[in-house]
Amino acid sequence: MRATMGLLPIALISLISLLSFLPSVNAVKGHDFKTCSQSGFCRRGRALASRAAEADSWESPYSLLKDGLELDSQGSTFKGKVKSALYPDVRFSLRVDVLHDGLFRIRMDEVDGLKKRYDEASKWALVGEPELGSAQWSKGEKEISAVTRTGGERVELKIEYSPLKVGMWISGKEVIALNGRGLLHMEHFRTKEEPAAESSVESSSGEEEQTVLEPAKPTERPTAWFEGAEEDAYWSESFGGNTDSKPKGPESLSLDITFPLAQHLYGIPEHAAPLSLPTTQPPETRYNEPYRLYNLDVFEYLPDSPMALYGSIPLLHAHSKEGTVGALFLTGAETWIDVARPQVGGRGMSTHWVSESGILDLFLLPGPGPHQLFRQYTALTGPSALPQLFALGYHQCRWNYISSKDVLDVNRRFDDALMPLDVTWLDIEYAAEKKYFDWDKSNFPDPRAMVDAVAEAKRKMVAIVDPHLKKTSNYHVYQQAQERDVLIKKSDGKEYEGWCWPGASAYADFFHPDSWQWWRGLFRLGDGKDVKEGEGWIDSTKDLFIWNDMNEPSVFNGPEITMPKDNIHHGGWEHRDVHNLNGMLFHKQTSLALIERTNPPQRPFVLSRSFYPGSQQYGAIWTGDNGGTWEHMKVGLPMVLTLGVTGMAFAGADVGGFFGNPGPEMLTRWYQVGIFAPFFRGHAHIDTKRREPYLLEEPYKSIVRDALELRYAMLPLWYTLMHEASISGTPATRPHYVILPHDEQGFAIDDQYYIGDSMLVKPVTDEGATETSVYLAEDEVYYAFDDYTMYRGISSGAQIIVPSPLEKIPLFYRGGHIIPLRLRPRRSSSLMAQDPFTLVIGLSTKRAAVGELYLDDGESFSFRKGELVWRDFRAIKNGKKGIKIISDDRVPAHPTEAVYGVDLTGTWDPENTYARNIHDVRVERVVVLGLPAAPTSVHAVSNQQKVDLNFKWIKGSSAEGKRGQEGPASVLIIKDPGVGIAKDWEIVVE
Amino acid sequence: MHLTATLLSFALFSTSLSQSSHRSPTLGVPKEKLSSYVPIAGSNPPQWRCLDGTGDLLPFSAVNDDYCDCEDGSDEPGTSACKGGSFHCVNEGHLPKDIPNIRVNDGLCDSDCCDGSDEAPGVCPNRCAELGEAYRKTLEQERKLRRTGSKIRSTYVAYAKKEKTRLEQDLIKGREAVDKAILEEKRLKALLDRAESTSAEALEYKLQSPLYDSLLAHSSAVKTLVNKVADLETKIVTLKSILEDLEKGHNPNYQDMAVRGAIKGYQAFLEKEKITASETEEESPEEAVKEEDMDKWTAEELKRLGQSDLTELLLEHEHHLAGFGKSDDSILFSIEHYLPEAWLPYYHETKNIVVSWMVRLGVVKGVLDSSDSDEVKHARAAHANAQSVTREAEKRLQDDEDLLYDLGGFYGPDGEWLKLKDTCIEKNTGEYTYSGCFFGQATQKGNNGGGVHNLGRFSDWNADAKEGTMEYYSSQMYEHGARCWNGPERSVKLVLTCGTENALLSVAEPEKCEYMFEATTPALCWPLETEAQTKDEL
């Protein structure tokens, strides 16, 4: 307890409002963070691009030497030598690997340079050495070409010698071009010359704290046409009072990547920006700054900006109605990306990447469609982890629930309000002096008892564990890290100290292999018994999960609120080389720790703020500290969609906004938004009023309860979709371009999206909205989920207007799909384990539908041994008016797709332990929408037995009806068909 | 979104398939509704209708068949099939209880349903005997506490009764005193009026004096300045405390040159202040005197000066002048003694001019009328005295009346809280000591130095509850404490339960600067209802 709750952030917020005279919620401290022109290498990169653009003629100085080309016998790996006309003595290597499924991996590095460029990003990001494929190579006068295939498509890579240019061609069309604009530049390591020629001047105003250079020398250096006349920020640079010593000098990497056919680009999270990336260069400059990838803790970020945020995934999807290709630019260093559409309204998107350090390690993904891209990316960086079922339920967080009593009170009040809840979260105040693992025992006297009490309703808890370690002798975690010498060092080799929540802190170096076992050991459960001092967590239980925050890393007194770039990690690498990887490594070890802490292991749940390719294997991420505004609510949708298509399937934005006090309408709408993100958590800053949903007045309270119940009713669908993501990387939340990849009008849509293939939602994010326009771009019917109103789409695109007062969500069953629901509200997701299912069948215009359902125990890894249930549902035409609904086991037909990396052929047992556990779980109801006529009879066939069924028929529109036949759909409700959810059966409607 | 509502609205018309049901149709039905869960008389096969009377007839087997047929959910009293219903647990041996039906068949043995009827047979043991016993024990302990507490409370009540009697008697005396004082005041007023009427004209004239005007102007200037100084001082204190908080609590996060600048500036300012203070000590004696002057003119002093009765001053001044030449203290007179002789003629000349000006201005003329003024002065003083006696008597009476009124409910149904007025309870939480004085103020004091923060003054009982109920007296609000920086004014909700001591048990801050105190007090140990009545519940 504090007199003023004299916490750091309060002082901070107050300060900001005091100094800026702005409401704190709307303020980002832009001047804390660099613009491109304040970052030396970005400035150099952009200057290079403008020189190229302004030049009458421009030719890349880089060329591939015809001598010394090597190709291995499988036609998998090609190696060559590259030289730059600027520096004929400097040598570069080019290596091209042909990967399985038509991918190409292109690497370029300096050979025998003064120093070594960082080349380990792939070691951390990739699941392993990518599987090699092979190609037909041919050598021409001007170029070398490699032909391989993906699916049925011919994929060709053409490498032109001089100037060096690489192009990927699919079915005779160039889809990706590298160095087509001649912006490739790998700054080689050099020695510092005439240090006196440069003076670092720090202006007192604090605004232009850049390295200011002396005027150009009278004799222009010969590389000036390309590199610029001046050595701009080569050897040190300052920003915000911090100086980066840059001991290695300039080593940036610039590359232009052009997508000649593309109409839209997606990806490169994390930015609070639309799904279809707005351009940052003329002719249609939407953002003046390039997209920046540099994991940062941005206080009160702007809801529409290319500024860097907490995580980085350097993956682009380039999409057109002909197909989708991808480019993954693996680097751990700070990277800026300019995006342009050179022909206004035409084809072709160009990008320009500038990274501060590291080798070129680029993967070209041929697609040719979004779904193939998801698979190709998953094969490289790993599958998204199948979460425990509870993790898809509702998470209630606040900075902070202040005591055990508070925690139990929150749980009780959810119960009293008949609102479901799965997880109660504890932010940093649970930890004594912010020494994570050490509970503040005055407020949490018996943590285990508290967690156990919460777990009585099969609920869980999450406590925060951040990567900064309080520097104090009475903190075992810090002491042990010091003893093991696994702390990040300063450039002088001494232990680095930065400021974070606990005050002076040290930071564990998860690049150091010695940190791994040690860190994982800290989470070992004592199970009430005393674990050896400092070698486990006595005050924890298997129901306590973890939140890894501040892992960018956030350093309050560091440059741009993070670590100095000249800090040193294991292996002698500078922080600048590995910065963007840092958060993932921490996340990974915590995730492994939770797997290891129980025997048999349970699936971990670890939420991280920072991320990188590969993070999807370790848990969920969220979009960080958003604000309680409609704008932030809106931008959360494209942010989550973008994360989904770049592999981070398990993501969400905090409901209500972290900062500020949302009014009841905003909060209600935000719940209606939040239930449609894979990760669904309400969170609030310590300065805000309490806003747990049970505190709402009517009618808001009931509307939010309905939203929560809808989320829980849809859990079977969400779980099935997370399973799909864990196999193929296809996200649960799917943008228009993924579902309808040929509908150009839908390519930029990011305010409505599909849940799987089967439901369409357009969350309302406008204050006072009473109706909403929804875009339906296929010749298919859609059924409003609550009253079964039928709407007809058209392949040329139709806008329909649907009512959307506060209590209504524009949510639709897509014709042709079968959706499994569990309609009985429970206190938590685990308590639904034995509840019956309702199948909603939205018939297509062809009187058919398909659907699937994946189930397992929802917590252990026994699914990897085939303890699961995976069902296929089909509705097919039966006679002139009827249908047949069929439930089949999906595993035999897809034995390699039930579990990632496991082939169940031969071992599959439909009567496995889990299947037996849900032996009695039945389908309690089947709802068929859009049948043409009242059935005369309905019967079920199960185990060769035929049973007549009760049903109810409501007249309405038929899905097969003509255009204009809309309004209430016909509804057939089959009562308690007596069929098991895990059983084979048929229901015949005649 | 009423997903299920739509589904529930359809009753079945086909009754060809009878669902096998292992449940009794009366499972989960409270006693008073049992009669509704029987087939319609004479129906064969047995039929039933939803309790809201809507929908088609259902086969009686549809009751508790784990499928929701009725829009009102009445066909599923014993399952979780219908949304929003409740389930009645008979709990023989313990208290019967209705639980939300979302808890039925969820695999958990609900503690409110100790007979285990909320789950399928065999899942949950019947724990009613055990839980009932424990409940009765707890209840008995609570009763004991209530009994002991209510004994203490009865002493509070006795005190209140005594006070009430005393007050009632005092009221009679008080009213008499007031009447008497008013009469006396009236009499003296008449005397004053008479005295004043004779001197009113003279006073009127005196008040036109420029000196008086000047006095008025000075006085008003002093008043304004005093207010201004006070205002500025408050602002300085506020700013200093903001800066102090900033310095102490500032987060190097998002470190900002402006913030650093502000803190450095503040530290420099403090340093400078310190130096100024120490320099002052070493200053030359002459300047130290000045400093003393500055010290003399404290806010209090200035305030007093600003509030002086100017008319009185004028008259005093006049009186003083009347003694001109007679008094050794006269400044004008005494000055002559100190002047060099050679200057005397000039002095006298000047003095004559001054005096003649005084006469011309009427200031000295007043000197001649001073005898009249004395009489008025006496009359005024006497009247003022009588007035204040009346006011005091009235105030005493009003206080007594107020207290008596408050004893009619504000201080509890039996006035028991009066005894606790200004009783303070305290809790040391390690870092801070919290204190709450009933009907007074709540404070927070840093145990390691640091000031005392006002957390608020008593404002109300539980405004959400009906006045006079136990709930109403179970919490007190303390509001308008010191404002949190960039936050609300501090406030305290003091939540009370029956206990044998007045004690502050816990302090929490669920929201920024909004505190929650939990305390016990015998004042809430209301006497138990008749024991038999409570036992009936079992």
Side-chain angles (χ1 to χ4, degrees), chain A residues 1-15 17-19 29 31-32 240 242 297 299 398 402 405 415 418 456-458 499 501 556-558 561 672 686-690 703 706-707 709-710 713 785-786 788 807 809 813 821 823-827 831 835 922 924-925 927 947-954 973 975-976, chain B residues 1-4 6-19 56 62 65-69 79-84 100-108 110 242 245-246 248-260 262 429 431-432 434 444 453 455 484-486 490 506-515 518:
Chain A
M1 195 77 42
R2 281 154 196 84
T4 58
M5 285 308 283
L7 283 168
L8 307 176
I10 290 159
L12 185 69
I13 289 155
S14 313
L15 188 66
S17 52
L18 194 76
L19 295 179
K29 299 190 76 189
H31 59 274
D32 269 351
N242 289 281
D297 179 2
F299 185 73
R398 174 180 174 81
I402 57 174
K405 205 170 147 271
D415 284 342
L418 299 179
E456 271 178 24
K458 299 278 169 102
W499 275 76
W501 300 123
F556 294 161
N557 60 340
I561 323 301
Q672 294 177 341
I686 195 164
D687 278 355
T688 61
K689 301 292 291 175
R690 293 223 173 190
I703 296 172
D706 286 343
E709 283 178 356
L710 176 57
F785 92 103
D786 54 353
Y788 306 144
E807 67 278 9
I809 302 173
Y813 298 117
L821 301 173
L823 293 181
R824 301 191 179 194
R826 292 291 185 191
R827 290 201 284 163
L831 296 177
D835 280 343
R922 68 192 212 275
E924 69 172 325
R925 184 186 292 111
V927 180
V947 184
D948 281 325
L949 301 179
N950 292 343
F951 65 90
K952 170 74 182 170
W953 168 255
I954 305 285
I973 298 176
K975 170 177 174 174
D976 213 351
Chain B
M1 289 144 286
H2 299 288
L3 192 50
T4 43
T6 326
L7 302 175
L8 302 185
S9 60
F10 309 110
L12 295 160
F13 61 77
S14 162
T15 59
S16 56
L17 182 80
S18 69
Q19 295 289 326
D56 300 320
D65 67 347
D66 204 19
Y67 182 88
C68 193
D69 296 292
T79 75
S80 57
C82 293
K83 200 179 147 183
N101 72 351
I102 67 166
R103 297 185 174 211
V104 175
N105 291 326
D106 64 355
L108 292 185
D110 209 286
I242 287 173
D245 282 352
L246 170 63
K248 264 196 231 149
H250 98 278
N251 191 331
N253 187 4
Y254 322 115
Q255 53 103 5
D256 177 313
M257 295 315 288
V259 177
R260 284 186 170 180
T429 61
E431 200 176 344
Y432 298 101
Y434 291 88
Q444 176 201 49
H453 282 275
L455 301 185
C484 276
W485 188 27
N486 202 40
R490 290 177 178 79
S506 73
V507 176
E509 192 180 357
E511 280 170 38
K512 193 183 166 196
C513 299
E514 293 181 16
Y515 295 85
E518 287 181 320

Side-chain angles (χ1 to χ4, degrees), chain A residues 205-331:
Chain A
S205 73
E207 285 194 353
E208 281 300 317
E209 293 171 292
Q210 294 297 317
T211 302
V212 177
L213 299 164
E214 295 288 305
K217 281 171 243 171
T219 51
E220 201 173 63
R221 52 181 183 157
T223 65
W225 70 275
F226 192 79
E227 287 195 305
E230 297 155 5
E231 290 196 347
D232 181 8
Y234 272 23
W235 300 101
S236 92
E237 78 184 272
S238 298
F239 178 77
N242 289 281
T243 299
D244 176 3
S245 69
K246 291 199 184 179
K248 291 191 287 181
E251 54 168 323
S252 78
L253 169 66
S254 156
L255 178 68
D256 59 277
I257 306 178
T258 302
F259 304 93
L261 290 181
Q263 295 167 293
H264 292 266
L265 296 179
Y266 313 107
I268 54 172
E270 185 176 37
H271 301 101
L275 173 72
S276 168
L277 293 169
T279 52
T280 65
Q281 288 278 300
E284 297 173 296
T285 308
R286 161 76 198 284
Y287 293 136
N288 287 317
E289 289 289 311
Y291 293 92
R292 188 184 190 199
L293 294 178
Y294 191 55
N295 300 348
L296 290 174
D297 179 2
V298 181
F299 185 73
E300 296 182 345
Y301 64 77
L302 298 171
D304 185 13
S305 164
M307 276 175 77
L309 289 176
Y310 314 92
S312 299
I313 298 179
L315 169 70
L316 271 179
H317 282 202
H319 182 75
S320 70
K321 63 181 177 180
E322 284 80 24
T324 324
V325 294
L328 171 64
F329 191 105
L330 273 191
T331 173

Side-chain angles (χ1 to χ4, degrees), chain A residues 700-914:
Chain A
Y700 306 104
K701 186 175 175 180
S702 289
I703 296 172
V704 170
R705 183 190 297 111
D706 286 343
L708 288 166
E709 283 178 356
L710 176 57
R711 169 68 175 209
Y712 278 76
M714 287 173 65
L715 279 179
L717 175 60
W718 281 108
Y719 197 63
T720 300
L721 292 172
M722 291 311 284
H723 168 257
E724 187 178 346
S726 80
I727 303 296
S728 67
T730 308
T733 50
R734 300 175 188 171
H736 255 259
Y737 86 87
V738 171
I739 298 292
L740 301 168
H742 307 299
D743 174 47
E744 293 175 87
Q745 294 173 74
F747 290 169
I749 290 180
D750 57 14
D751 57 354
Q752 69 173 56
Y753 57 97
Y754 288 82
I755 313 296
D757 290 337
S758 59
M759 293 183 86
L760 172 67
V761 66
K762 180 159 189 182
V764 178
T765 56
D766 289 312
E767 188 168 12
T770 54
E771 52 179 41
T772 296
S773 136
V774 178
Y775 177 69
L776 303 178
E778 58 178 335
D779 294 321
E780 191 49 89
V781 288
Y782 283 74
Y783 306 91
F785 92 103
D786 54 353
D787 61 11
Y788 306 144
T789 304
M790 181 193 285
Y791 299 93
R792 283 183 193 276
I794 181 163
S795 57
S796 56
Q799 292 284 353
I800 58 161
I801 305 291
V802 298
S804 63
L806 191 59
E807 67 278 9
K808 244 175 130 69
I809 302 173
L811 173 66
F812 306 88
Y813 298 117
R814 183 181 179 207
H817 291 274
I818 300 178
I819 297 102
L821 301 173
R822 272 177 156 155
L823 293 181
R824 301 191 179 194
R826 292 291 185 191
R827 290 201 284 163
S828 67
S829 63
S830 303
L831 296 177
M832 303 170 89
Q834 296 291 324
D835 280 343
F837 287 83
T838 292
L839 297 179
V840 177
I841 301 176
L843 289 175
S844 72
T845 54
K846 308 238 163 24
R847 207 194 318 151
V850 293
E852 63 177 270
L853 172 67
Y854 174 85
L855 292 167
D856 60 24
D857 71 6
E859 53 188 37
S860 78
F861 285 102
S862 60
F863 67 94
R864 288 188 176 161
K865 296 181 290 184
E867 293 186 10
L868 54 89
V869 166
W870 195 19
R871 306 300 303 176
D872 231 343
F873 303 118
R874 279 175 298 147
I876 54 173
K877 274 187 186 173
N878 181 36
K880 281 213 159 143
K881 306 265 163 109
I883 54 166
K884 223 184 241 182
I885 307 160
I886 304 156
S887 166
D888 272 333
D889 187 352
R890 193 172 164 83
V891 180
H894 307 272
T896 59
E897 311 227 319
V899 183
Y900 186 83
V902 175
D903 185 352
L904 291 177
T905 312
T907 61
W908 168 241
D909 175 12
E911 294 294 314
N912 63 71
T913 314
Y914 175 72

Side-chain angles (χ1 to χ4, degrees), chain A residues 20-129:
Chain A
S20 63
F21 301 103
L22 281 171
S24 56
V25 163
N26 300 327
V28 65
K29 299 190 76 189
H31 59 274
D32 269 351
F33 303 103
K34 289 181 185 177
T35 59
C36 177
S37 64
Q38 291 168 318
S39 160
F41 75 92
C42 186
R43 196 163 59 229
R44 296 200 296 273
R46 260 198 162 179
L48 170 62
S50 14
R51 278 192 292 277
E54 285 156 15
D56 293 335
S57 71
W58 182 271
E59 192 173 276
S60 169
Y62 289 87
S63 54
L64 173 66
L65 299 184
K66 289 189 175 171
D67 298 334
L69 301 179
E70 291 174 44
L71 183 67
D72 73 346
S73 56
Q74 284 78 40
S76 302
T77 298
F78 163 87
K79 290 177 183 168
K81 293 172 178 158
V82 170
K83 92 170 193 203
S84 159
L86 303 175
Y87 299 100
D89 299 336
V90 178
R91 295 186 296 151
F92 300 96
S93 65
L94 179 73
R95 172 180 172 145
V96 177
D97 291 312
V98 184
L99 305 184
H100 172 71
D101 204 13
L103 280 73
F104 287 97
R105 179 181 191 182
I106 298 161
R107 277 177 280 188
M108 181 174 156
D109 195 0
E110 187 183 348
V111 180
D112 298 330
L114 293 173
K115 302 202 166 59
K116 188 169 156 44
R117 299 182 77 93
Y118 184 70
D119 61 356
E120 294 185 355
S122 62
K123 170 178 154 187
W124 305 112
L126 301 183
V127 275
E129 247 342 281

Side-chain angles (χ1 to χ4, degrees), chain B residues 128-141:
Chain B
C128 288
E130 174 198 344
L131 291 178
E133 182 60 32
Y135 172 74
R136 282 184 290 273
K137 265 192 187 146
T138 318
L139 210 62
E140 187 43 47
Q141 273 168 358

Side-chain angles (χ1 to χ4, degrees), chain B residues 179-472:
Chain B
D179 291 348
K180 216 171 113 191
I182 289 174
L183 275 178
E184 178 63 5
E185 188 194 328
K186 273 186 185 157
R187 188 183 68 79
L188 289 168
K189 180 77 169 75
L191 284 178
L192 173 64
D193 285 351
R194 205 161 55 224
E196 272 182 346
S197 66
T198 53
S199 63
E201 205 183 327
L203 182 66
E204 192 58 29
Y205 181 79
K206 288 170 203 162
L207 290 182
Q208 285 165 9
S209 131
L211 180 65
Y212 184 73
D213 271 356
S214 166
L215 271 176
L216 273 181
H218 280 92
S219 162
S220 133
V222 167
K223 271 184 207 161
T224 314
L225 286 172
V226 164
N227 287 340
K228 218 173 198 173
V229 166
D231 188 37
L232 287 172
E233 272 176 354
T234 321
K235 280 180 181 160
I236 287 172
V237 168
T238 310
L239 284 172
K240 267 173 107 175
S241 90
I242 287 173
L243 284 167
E244 190 185 321
D245 282 352
L246 170 63
E247 187 200 13
K248 264 196 231 149
H250 98 278
N251 191 331
N253 187 4
Y254 322 115
Q255 53 103 5
D256 177 313
M257 295 315 288
V259 177
R260 284 186 170 180
I263 290 166
K264 273 187 193 150
Y266 173 62
Q267 285 162 344
F269 166 76
L270 286 182
E271 204 52 39
K272 210 170 135 197
E273 268 209 328
K274 233 190 260 167
I275 292 166
T276 318
S278 58
E279 273 177 1
T280 310
E281 281 160 29
E282 291 157 21
E283 266 166 17
S284 56
E286 293 97 329
E287 272 164 315
V289 173
K290 269 191 194 163
E291 195 67 29
E292 251 167 46
D293 265 359
M294 268 171 75
D295 285 348
K296 193 177 111 193
W297 293 112
T298 59
E300 292 297 306
E301 198 63 20
L302 287 170
K303 202 172 163 193
R304 197 192 53 75
L305 201 65
Q307 284 168 346
S308 350
D309 184 338
L310 299 181
T311 314
E312 197 67 27
L313 270 176
L314 186 67
L315 294 173
E316 246 174 57
H317 170 68
E318 191 181 284
H319 185 69
H320 179 70
L321 288 187
F324 180 51
K326 296 170 209 163
S327 163
D328 286 351
D329 297 339
S330 164
I331 299 164
L332 290 173
F333 179 77
S334 56
I335 282 172
E336 286 178 64
H337 293 283
Y338 298 98
L339 288 173
E341 243 166 89
W343 288 21
L344 275 176
Y346 300 101
Y347 167 71
H348 282 295
E349 200 176 312
T350 314
K351 192 181 92 177
N352 286 339
I353 292 169
V354 170
V355 171
S356 75
W357 268 101
M358 281 175 140
V359 171
R360 224 179 280 177
L361 290 170
V363 174
V364 185
K365 184 183 170 228
V367 172
L368 305 169
D369 303 337
S370 64
S371 58
D372 281 353
S373 162
D374 265 354
E375 192 187 320
V376 174
K377 226 161 86 184
H378 285 131
R380 187 177 287 127
H383 175 248
N385 189 38
Q387 258 184 333
S388 80
V389 168
T390 312
R391 273 201 296 272
E392 258 169 49
E394 279 173 345
K395 189 178 177 305
R396 260 199 305 276
L397 182 64
Q398 188 60 49
D399 286 354
D400 286 353
E401 277 174 345
D402 286 352
L403 191 51
L404 202 59
Y405 176 81
D406 283 349
L407 278 173
F410 177 79
Y411 284 113
D414 301 314
E416 65 273 26
W417 279 95
L418 179 63
K419 174 77 177 168
L420 296 180
K421 190 171 183 300
D422 299 326
T423 296
C424 298
I425 51 179
E426 245 186 34
K427 171 89 184 167
N428 184 335
T429 61
E431 200 176 344
Y432 298 101
T433 298
Y434 291 88
S435 152
C437 300
F438 294 121
F439 308 104
Q441 198 185 21
T443 59
Q444 176 201 49
K445 194 179 131 222
N447 289 340
N448 312 312
V452 175
H453 282 275
N454 172 11
L455 301 185
R457 298 197 72 82
F458 175 84
S459 65
D460 202 357
W461 292 101
N462 183 3
D464 295 336
K466 201 170 154 260
E467 266 181 55
T469 59
M470 169 87 100
E471 211 194 331
Y472 178 74

